[in-house]
Amino acid sequence: MAELGYEMVRYADDFVILCCCQEQAESALEEVKRFVTEADLTLHPENIFDKYDGMVRKRLRRQLLKRHRRNPQRLCRTHRWPNAYFTERGYRSLRTAHSGYVQSLTGNH
């Protein structure tokens, strides 16, 4: 992808291609489809940000649990540190970031 001028970020067996416009994104998707077909693989173009957000929050909760062992109210981790807890402290979810980016491209923000 770098040879074709695209910036790609890999996450284990997943990847994200960073594009500056819709046309470039569509062109990159066509290249990926071509590669996947030639390699006899399957492409799953699901917008998976919720999954990654959940994984990040789960790890953050695990770190918080190590620092704050005492839990006199016996709350589960998601009640003790709800999603709003992370939002208030500046964690910007991938879903929110993606939505804002798409809206900025279309001029709907």
Side-chain angles (χ1 to χ4, degrees):
M1 295 306 293
E3 294 171 356
L4 298 173
Y6 299 109
E7 185 175 351
M8 185 170 82
V9 180
R10 295 179 55 197
Y11 303 98
D13 63 344
D14 293 327
F15 61 90
V16 175
I17 299 174
L18 306 173
C19 301
C20 61
C21 64
Q22 184 66 31
E23 292 80 25
Q24 187 182 24
E26 290 171 2
S27 176
L29 181 58
E30 290 305 315
E31 285 297 324
V32 169
K33 286 179 181 178
R34 183 188 59 74
F35 170 78
V36 167
T37 303
E38 290 176 2
D40 198 28
L41 298 171
T42 305
L43 178 65
H44 295 282
E46 299 172 359
N47 195 332
I48 58 170
F49 297 120
D50 293 333
K51 176 182 170 185
Y52 285 123
D53 283 334
M55 289 170 36
V56 169
R57 284 190 297 263
K58 182 178 179 179
R59 287 185 179 230
L60 290 171
R61 286 183 181 107
R62 196 175 302 152
Q63 291 298 317
L64 287 167
L65 184 63
K66 286 181 181 181
R67 292 183 185 172
H68 307 282
R69 287 282 183 192
R70 294 193 50 194
N71 186 5
Q73 297 172 336
R74 298 211 179 279
L75 297 172
C76 67
R77 293 178 193 178
T78 55
H79 284 106
R80 200 167 170 192
W81 299 291
N83 294 348
Y85 174 87
F86 300 109
T87 303
E88 291 167 1
R89 282 154 183 79
Y91 171 71
R92 187 169 175 210
S93 72
L94 294 172
R95 164 72 62 205
T96 304
H98 179 261
S99 297
Y101 177 71
V102 169
Q103 288 178 357
S104 69
L105 289 178
T106 61
N108 294 331
H109 65 334

